[in-house]
């Protein structure tokens, strides 16, 4: 209101004062002078109102345009002054083109974001201070981050890794992409290849370093598996094969006409062939487990059912050796999850098979719930009353081909791969194997896997 009166006074003040002065000097009669003053004030008020409303509307449009709030243009509810109308029209056009440009920028930003999100490889954006600003969906999946997650756990370890830190340093100093290969230790070692690129100029959110990661764990596992398989297979097959070749030569030569010797040699040859078959089966089984080791299992396994099934399947072997198998299983459900039931059954089979071979009179199979730190899980334990294992051997039992008593183990026809397979299956399940043994008193193999 104050503004309106002041503007009206500015417009109508001078003519009104002139009319008043003329009337005072007697140049104008009082009646016409009063009418003229009234008209002058009324038109000044009207003009001031039109002017002020038009200006305040222009101001509002300008404010919204400056704050990028839109919509920038709206219909004018009052008649326009001609000159102001043209200004308003120009401003409207400017506002509409700003609006269109802002919408385009939003769309482009959304599509950039969508492309980055959809990339199959983990991608990180860091500030110049190495702080994590953004991680795409693949990176969040690999490192288990929340959407706005800070660099914790594996991600923190990655960014602090000396090779990674060096690559980030180089990227900030040199132009051009920097790359590095690194292994992230953890429950499962992850092998990553990282490309680092400095962003010049930095992104609007302060992003200065772009890191693209490629997970090479699976590829490396397959590579190593192939090399190990060839080395192990050729090494372990050489002895039985040499012995078979030797016997064939003997059968063709010196033992040609000796049916008793022939019979004995054929028996040994059959045994050696069987040993080679077992070896190949176990090596292939181990390779299969190793290939899937870095992928967490899916699904659930009914631990009680699978332990009962394995115990039942081995019952004749136990009976044959005169060893008693005692089951101490709980009543309620015992579910391992996430877990692969076939692989857990193989763990149970390998441990029961070892216990059976070493036990004197009895093997006990127990199961139950158990915690590992903060993690809920299920356990099962295979206990035998055999000769036990000397302390120094225990840490090495899960190495492939490791046998405590090589001569005796070879005689029985075992390959020394059973516990190596157990170790890899449990690594895949993020589980644990604990071995306790006392000489002369027997051994205990305890398995823990995550569960409900
Ligand atoms: N319950 C046990 N008591 C005593 N020693 C054991 C027991 N279980 C395993 N061992 C020792 O650990 C070694 C490695 O076991 P592992 O199961 O890996 O191989 P293996 O039984 O010899 O052969 P495979 O299981 O491949 O047929 C065995 O050779 C044996 O010396
Ligand atoms: Mg075994």
């Amino acid at each position: 209101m104050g503004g309106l009166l002041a503007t009206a006074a500015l417009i109508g003040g001078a003519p009104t004062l002139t009319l008043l002065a003329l009337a005072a000097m007697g140049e104008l009669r009082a009646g016409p002078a009063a009418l003229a003053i009234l008209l002058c004030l009324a038109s000044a008020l009207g003009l001031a109102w039109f002017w002020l409303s038009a200006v305040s509307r222009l101001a509002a449009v300008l404010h919204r345009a400056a704050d990028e709030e839109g919509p920038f243009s709206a219909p004018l509810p009052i008649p326009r002054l001609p000159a102001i109308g043209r200004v308003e029209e120009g401003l409207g056009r400017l506002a509409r083109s700003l609006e269109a440009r802002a919408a385009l920028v939003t769309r482009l930003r959304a599509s950039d974001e969508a492309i980055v999100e959809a990339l199959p490889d983990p991608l990180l954006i860091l500030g110049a201070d190495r702080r994590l600003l953004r991680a795409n969906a693949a990176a969040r999946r690999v490192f288990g981050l929340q959407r706005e997650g800070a660099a914790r756990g594996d991600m923190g370890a990655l960014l602090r890794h000396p090779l990674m830190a060096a690559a980030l340093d180089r990227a900030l100093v040199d132009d051009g992409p920097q790359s590095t290969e690194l292994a992230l230790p953890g429950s499962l070692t992850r092998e990553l290849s990282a490309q680092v690129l400095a962003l010049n100029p930095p992104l609007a959110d302060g992003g200065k370093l772009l890191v693209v990661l490629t997970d090479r764990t699976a590829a490396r596992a397959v590579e190593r598996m192939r090399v190990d398989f060839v080395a192990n297979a050729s090494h372990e097959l050489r002895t039985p094969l040499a012995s078979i070749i030797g016997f064939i030569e003997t059968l063709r030569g010196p033992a040609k006409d000796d049916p008793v010797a022939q019979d004995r040699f054929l028996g040994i040859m059959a045994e050696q062939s069987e040993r080679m078959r077992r070896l190949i089966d176990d090596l292939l089984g181990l390779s299969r487990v190793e290939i899937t080791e870095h992928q967490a299992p899916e699904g659930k396994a009914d631990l009680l059912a699978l332990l009962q099934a394995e115990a039942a399947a081995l019952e004749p072997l136990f009976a044959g050796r005169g060893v008693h198998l005692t089951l101490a299983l709980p009543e309620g459900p015992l579910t391992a999850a996430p877990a692969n039931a076939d692989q857990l059954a193989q763990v149970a089979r390998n441990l029961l098979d070892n216990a059976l071979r070493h036990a004197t009179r009895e093997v006990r199979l127990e199961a139950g719930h158990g915690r590992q730190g903060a993690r809920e899980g299920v356990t099962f334990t295979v206990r035998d009353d055999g000769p036990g294992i000397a302390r120094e051997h225990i840490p090495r039992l899960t190495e492939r081909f490791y046998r405590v008593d090589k001569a005796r183990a070879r005689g029985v026809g075992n390959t020394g791969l059973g516990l190596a397979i157990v170790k890899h299956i449990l690594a895949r399940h993020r589980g644990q194997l604990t071995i306790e043994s006392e000489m002369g008193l027997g051994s205990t193999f305890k398995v823990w896997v995550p569960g409900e």
Side-chain angles (χ1 to χ4, degrees), residues 278 282 353-355 357-358 384 388-389 397 402-405 409 414-420 443 445:
R278 268 196 71 154
D282 281 358
D353 176 63
N354 285 352
R357 245 173 321 106
H358 294 93
D384 67 66
I389 308 160
L397 291 185
Y402 192 83
R403 281 161 295 207
V404 174
D405 181 346
N414 292 98
T415 55
L417 289 173
L419 291 177
S443 317
F445 288 75

Side-chain angles (χ1 to χ4, degrees), residues 95-427:
R96 274 192 297 280
S97 96
L98 269 179
E99 193 172 8
R101 206 165 300 174
L104 182 68
V105 169
T106 311
R107 270 210 315 279
L108 286 177
R109 207 189 286 166
S111 60
D112 284 356
E113 185 94 359
I115 292 172
V116 168
E117 273 295 287
L119 283 178
D121 283 334
L123 187 141
L124 314 172
I125 294 172
L126 314 180
D129 55 357
R130 307 346 167 34
R131 220 160 34 81
L132 177 67
L133 296 176
R134 259 197 281 165
N136 73 348
R140 295 197 300 276
R141 205 170 42 244
V142 170
F143 293 99
L145 294 176
Q146 302 301 312
R147 206 179 158 79
E148 301 300 329
R152 273 179 278 110
D154 284 355
M155 174 68 84
L158 168 72
L159 297 181
R160 283 192 304 274
H161 194 288
L163 290 173
M164 187 71 202
L168 293 174
D169 281 343
R170 285 199 308 276
L172 282 174
V173 177
D174 299 348
D175 266 348
Q178 305 293 330
S179 60
T180 184
E181 307 270 320
L182 48 94
L184 262 197
S187 54
L188 279 179
T189 300
R190 228 196 292 261
E191 304 196 28
L192 299 170
S193 144
Q195 302 275 337
V196 183
L197 194 71
L199 299 167
N200 281 323
L203 300 183
D205 60 1
K208 178 72 186 154
L209 290 159
L210 176 74
V211 181
V212 184
L213 299 165
T214 316
D215 195 340
R216 300 218 183 277
T217 318
R220 291 279 151 76
V222 171
E223 232 167 72
R224 256 198 310 273
M225 186 278 294
R226 211 176 282 145
V227 173
D228 285 356
F229 182 83
V230 172
N232 291 334
S234 50
H235 175 258
E236 292 292 314
L237 291 174
R238 191 172 294 144
T239 317
L241 201 57
S243 115
I244 291 175
I245 292 169
F247 283 121
I248 291 173
E249 277 166 12
T250 316
L251 286 175
R252 281 177 154 173
K256 210 172 186 173
D257 305 311
D258 183 350
V260 181
Q262 279 178 0
D263 211 36
R264 194 164 68 82
F265 293 160
L266 282 173
I268 300 173
M269 287 165 72
E271 215 172 82
Q272 295 293 335
S273 315
E274 175 58 20
R275 179 172 161 68
M276 296 200 322
R277 193 187 60 76
R278 268 196 71 154
L279 193 74
I280 289 171
D281 282 354
D282 281 358
L283 277 172
L284 284 175
L286 183 59
S287 303
R288 267 197 299 274
V289 173
E290 277 182 304
I291 290 172
T292 57
E293 186 176 331
H294 62 281
Q295 303 165 353
E298 285 169 9
K300 297 177 176 186
D302 179 346
L303 196 63
L304 286 185
L306 72 87
L307 290 178
Q308 271 154 353
E310 287 309 314
L314 288 171
E315 196 60 58
L317 289 181
F318 274 85
R321 281 179 172 251
V323 174
H324 190 256
L325 176 60
T326 311
L327 298 190
L329 304 178
E331 284 289 310
L334 213 53
T335 311
N340 178 305
D342 287 340
Q343 288 192 329
L344 290 187
Q346 191 174 6
V347 169
R349 198 179 316 136
N350 289 3
L351 294 182
L352 285 170
D353 176 63
N354 285 352
L356 164 66
R357 245 173 321 106
H358 294 93
T360 318
R361 273 188 309 276
E362 194 195 4
V363 171
R364 267 180 82 80
L365 175 61
E366 297 162 11
H369 289 276
R371 273 173 162 271
Q372 190 80 255
R375 297 196 296 161
E376 285 295 343
V378 290
T379 68
F380 66 91
T381 306
V382 180
R383 216 182 281 280
D384 67 66
D385 59 355
I389 308 160
R391 186 181 293 269
E392 67 269 21
H393 292 299
I394 291 182
R396 302 198 55 192
L397 291 185
T398 54
E399 289 175 15
R400 47 176 76 196
F401 300 117
Y402 192 83
R403 281 161 295 207
V404 174
D405 181 346
K406 295 216 162 34
R408 199 184 57 177
R410 258 178 212 280
V412 188
N414 292 98
T415 55
L417 289 173
L419 291 177
I421 293 175
V422 166
K423 179 179 83 172
H424 286 291
I425 292 179
L426 293 182

